[in-house]
Amino acid sequence: MYFILEIAFSSPKNYIANLIRAYGEQKQIEVDVLQTTDKIIMTFNKEDEKLETFLLGLEDILPASLFLGKGKHYFSDNKPALMPVSKSNLPVNIAPCPTCQKEMFDVSSRRYYYPFTSCNYCGSQHQFLTKYPYERLHTTMKFLVPCEACKNELNLNALRKDYPLISCIECGIGLRMLDKESEHMALNKGDYRKLFEVAGRAIASGKTLLMKTMHGYRKFFNPNNSDIKHIGLSTLLMARAEGFNTHLMMVEQEFNALLSIERPLLRVATKSDEVKALYGSSVLVKYPDDGLTMLLAKEVVTSGLDYIAYIECDGNEEADFLVDFDMPINTQKDTKVFINQDTKLFVSGERILYPTEVQSNKDRVTVAHDLACVKIDNKSIVDSLGVFDSVDTQELYVLEGEDFEGGHSNEHRFEQYKASMMSVLAEHHKVGQKAIGVHFDGSLHFLYYNGKNVIDAVPPIPFESDNLWDKISTLREGSDRLVENYQKAYPEVWERLDNLKGDMDIFEVTAITLGLEDESFEGISAEALSFLGKGGLQIDTRVKDNRFDNYAFLTSIMSYQLGDVENNFMCYSIYESFGDYIGEIVPQLCDKVGSNIVVLTGETFANQSLYGRIQRTLGQKNPLMNQNFPIGKENAVYGALYL
Ligand SMILES: [Zn+2]
Ligand SMILES: [Zn+2]
């Protein structure tokens, strides 16, 4: 008789299942750990006397994860026989696990305040990788020789068995802190602790700190006590979990995502007056995501703050203090997550999702947005271009516009929207079946996949932002009057719009029109988030042949502006109107081609009002989106395998 524990797990990532295996080894219990496409199944001997202690301990060593769901347990006479996902040994780039964190805050450990603490199942690993296969010799750590204690751990610590990046204060990476006059090198536990203490206090007292973190240089500051400009564009770093409910308005799923070991970026609505005053209606939030940021946050809390802020920058940024180290690291683009009820989408970025192993039986290398999919030892791996050596391949697929010289005789260039649509179809095993797609990434494309090729069925009308007023005033009768009125009411905006360059997208221009601080699609999205009403404002999206008309759209916004409609209501309505438009066109296309498969791709869909509206208008068609890849442009490297 077996005792079986199942936990939902919605990712092919192996680190949680592997951690459970290692923990079983450490506790010397017999446990079968099986990972399938949607769960992790642990099978124990029902009579095992260690079972109870193991299960209790498991709660302490398992991190919260974006991918973990509900658990259930039952008894069975048979072991479950299911298809396992493939096991791969790829370097992760997540926060330290509970066990490693404990070490960092345990004064008796060799890693007290050592920010590079990690194990086989957590922390900053990918940063050190120079090429595959992932072993110490292929990392920037290769010149550091592990001390005796670390060497022993390679055999004795189940969590660090043969761990390529093992290190501690004794044998690891040195840290130093500099201000305008002096430099301090941290050499022992006391120094490491002191360094973060001084850094935390400096920030609390209004100083700025430039720190090389495992995600690149970040300039940290206290947003309530500094003269930093454009605070609204910084990321809010919540230093203690208790601060979330005081300062932000979040649902449980958002809270769980922010605290997960994957530590994504998330845009959430603000709540406290002080955070509202700093960021307006919504803010991009982060919970400490690497050892350095985590230790800093600890000391910031000791100084009495709930949160600080940071901007991503380079090593030359001006600041009062600098915390630096000499080891070269590769950073990945951070990953944004979007949450709507029980749906969780990866919006954009590389971290968390890449590197990953994918299935492909083609002899093809794909390249897009500095990512590549390359076959190594018969496994197809998607990762940053820089970590791959050159390989032999039959064909090379490179994204249109990508700055990459392959010099291959069989090189193909492909369009973003085509690869994006294929990435969704491939994830949902629909390659070869007819489908309708909507690709919305600043501009809006309606696509048709005939089972072989992706066709741009209703392409967007090109938008040129120069000579804007000429285009608007001739749109329809009476438009010239609107232009006149607008010039009187908003002379400054009028002036700016009169001098735009030709290559701006419609969302940038809309944000300028509305006078938003963040002049981008993100700015409009952020503004829309604060609208709590019901909607109902109809923004004109088209004039002729049923296609989206950028100029009609802007004209409509301007006339509402003249009618004193609030910005957040307008931004909300913009997305709602897009939702209605998409909801009207897609069923027509479906009927026309006789398919009920609908695919949505593009970052613009990561918006509460648009997403909500699409669920309402297209919900019956059950539109498919990326699950294990970003819905944004970074899905192309995968989709191109299916072109
Ligand atoms: Zn760990
Ligand atoms: Zn060591």
Side-chain angles (χ1 to χ4, degrees), residues 134-148:
Y134 172 40
E135 50 191 60
R136 195 172 181 100
L137 211 60
H138 297 157
T139 70
T140 47
M141 283 249 196
K142 69 178 172 186
F143 298 112
L144 297 178
V145 181
C147 66
E148 280 310 306

Side-chain angles (χ1 to χ4, degrees), residues 110-111 146-147 149-150 167-172:
R110 295 179 355 263
R111 298 190 177 89
C147 66
C150 282
S167 75
C168 69
I169 288 182
E170 175 72 29
C171 62

Side-chain angles (χ1 to χ4, degrees), residues 199-207 220-226 236-244 246-247 274 278 287 296-309:
R201 269 197 230 134
I203 293 173
S205 70
K207 297 274 195 281
F220 293 95
F221 57 94
N222 177 357
N224 290 302
N225 182 10
S226 82
L236 181 77
L237 180 79
M238 198 50 77
R240 56 199 289 262
E242 291 78 5
F244 280 115
T246 317
H247 299 291
E274 58 179 79
L278 292 167
Y287 195 54
L296 178 67
K298 171 87 190 323
E299 295 305 321
V300 159
V301 172
T302 311
S303 297
L305 301 180
D306 275 352
Y307 60 85
I308 54 175

Side-chain angles (χ1 to χ4, degrees), residues 20 45 55 134 237 272 356 403 451 454 499 524 526 538 562 573 617 641:
I20 297 170
N45 191 331
L55 292 177
Y134 172 40
L237 180 79
S272 70
T356 191
D403 184 16
V454 178
N499 289 303
I524 300 171
Q538 194 62 51
L562 288 170
S573 307
T617 54
L641 291 170

Side-chain angles (χ1 to χ4, degrees), residues 319-586:
D320 299 314
F321 290 92
L322 169 67
V323 169
D324 213 347
F325 56 91
D326 287 329
M327 184 66 75
I329 53 164
N330 299 311
T331 55
Q332 291 182 296
K333 243 173 50 200
D334 208 353
T335 294
K336 261 184 224 159
V337 161
F338 169 80
I339 287 171
N340 181 289
Q341 291 169 3
D342 287 323
T343 305
K344 186 171 54 222
L345 302 171
F346 293 94
V347 184
S348 60
E350 302 164 353
R351 200 176 65 76
I352 304 173
L353 298 175
Y354 297 130
T356 191
E357 192 191 328
V358 297
Q359 298 305 318
S360 168
N361 44 26
K362 287 188 185 130
D363 189 6
R364 175 186 295 185
V365 167
T366 63
V367 177
H369 303 290
D370 274 334
L371 293 161
C373 181
V374 175
K375 222 165 235 176
I376 294 172
D377 297 336
N378 233 6
K379 288 184 168 179
S380 294
I381 294 171
V382 179
D383 202 346
S384 317
L385 247 172
V387 300
F388 295 113
D389 279 338
S390 54
V391 291
D392 283 331
T393 181
Q394 223 164 59
E395 41 183 20
L396 174 66
Y397 275 67
V398 182
L399 177 71
E400 200 67 68
E402 183 87 3
D403 184 16
F404 177 80
E405 289 304 322
H408 199 280
S409 58
N410 191 10
E411 180 174 325
H412 305 258
R413 291 273 166 171
F414 64 85
E415 308 271 355
Q416 172 77 46
Y417 66 85
K418 291 189 182 178
S420 285
M421 181 167 184
M422 291 316 294
S423 76
V424 180
L425 291 168
E427 263 204 74
H428 295 273
H429 311 288
K430 305 279 188 220
V431 176
Q433 299 179 44
K434 284 195 282 187
I436 291 298
V438 186
H439 182 71
F440 198 1
D441 207 353
S443 57
L444 180 60
H445 298 256
F446 290 94
L447 311 171
Y448 168 48
Y449 172 64
N450 58 16
K452 283 201 177 80
N453 296 309
V454 178
I455 297 150
D456 203 353
V458 187
I461 298 181
F463 175 60
E464 280 152 13
S465 44
D466 52 349
N467 304 320
L468 191 65
W469 292 120
D470 288 349
K471 289 161 193 153
I472 290 181
S473 61
T474 54
L475 190 69
R476 46 167 96 85
E477 222 181 323
S479 295
D480 48 344
R481 268 233 314 286
L482 174 102
V483 175
E484 269 172 46
N485 292 340
Y486 197 86
Q487 188 174 11
K488 270 183 226 149
Y490 300 97
E492 279 163 28
V493 178
W494 194 92
E495 193 63 40
R496 269 201 77 187
L497 295 181
D498 198 34
N499 289 303
L500 294 179
K501 288 194 209 104
D503 57 354
M504 299 176 78
D505 77 46
I506 180 72
F507 288 105
E508 285 176 79
V509 177
T510 303
I512 293 172
T513 307
L514 297 176
L516 304 180
E517 184 179 10
D518 185 350
E519 293 177 344
S520 69
F521 141 72
E522 177 89 343
I524 300 171
S525 228
E527 190 67 29
L529 203 60
S530 72
F531 181 72
L532 300 171
K534 271 218 146 76
L537 192 67
Q538 194 62 51
I539 293 180
D540 200 355
T541 48
R542 70 206 100 161
V543 174
K544 46 186 182 232
D545 34 298
N546 230 353
R547 285 164 79 186
F548 177 78
D549 188 305
N550 296 283
Y551 308 106
F553 175 78
L554 276 174
T555 307
S556 182
I557 286 171
M558 286 168 185
S559 43
Y560 281 122
Q561 222 179 347
L562 288 170
D564 283 334
V565 173
E566 293 278 345
N567 262 357
N568 63 357
F569 186 18
M570 195 110 74
C571 290
Y572 176 88
S573 307
I574 287 172
Y575 289 105
E576 213 181 44
S577 303
F578 272 114
D580 288 346
Y581 177 52
I582 293 166
E584 198 184 304
I585 304 285
V586 166

Side-chain angles (χ1 to χ4, degrees), residues 140-189:
T140 47
M141 283 249 196
K142 69 178 172 186
F143 298 112
L144 297 178
V145 181
C147 66
E148 280 310 306
C150 282
K151 268 190 209 149
N152 283 336
E153 262 192 284
L154 293 175
N155 296 318
L156 300 176
N157 182 348
L159 266 51
R160 295 209 180 93
K161 202 156 179 230
D162 301 324
Y163 182 43
L165 299 174
I166 194 142
S167 75
C168 69
I169 288 182
E170 175 72 29
C171 62
I173 303 169
L175 267 189
R176 60 174 185 276
M177 185 167 190
L178 303 86
D179 61 15
K180 304 256 148 71
E181 284 102 44
S182 55
E183 173 171 347
H184 298 280
M185 187 78 202
L187 298 170
N188 57 43
K189 283 185 202 181

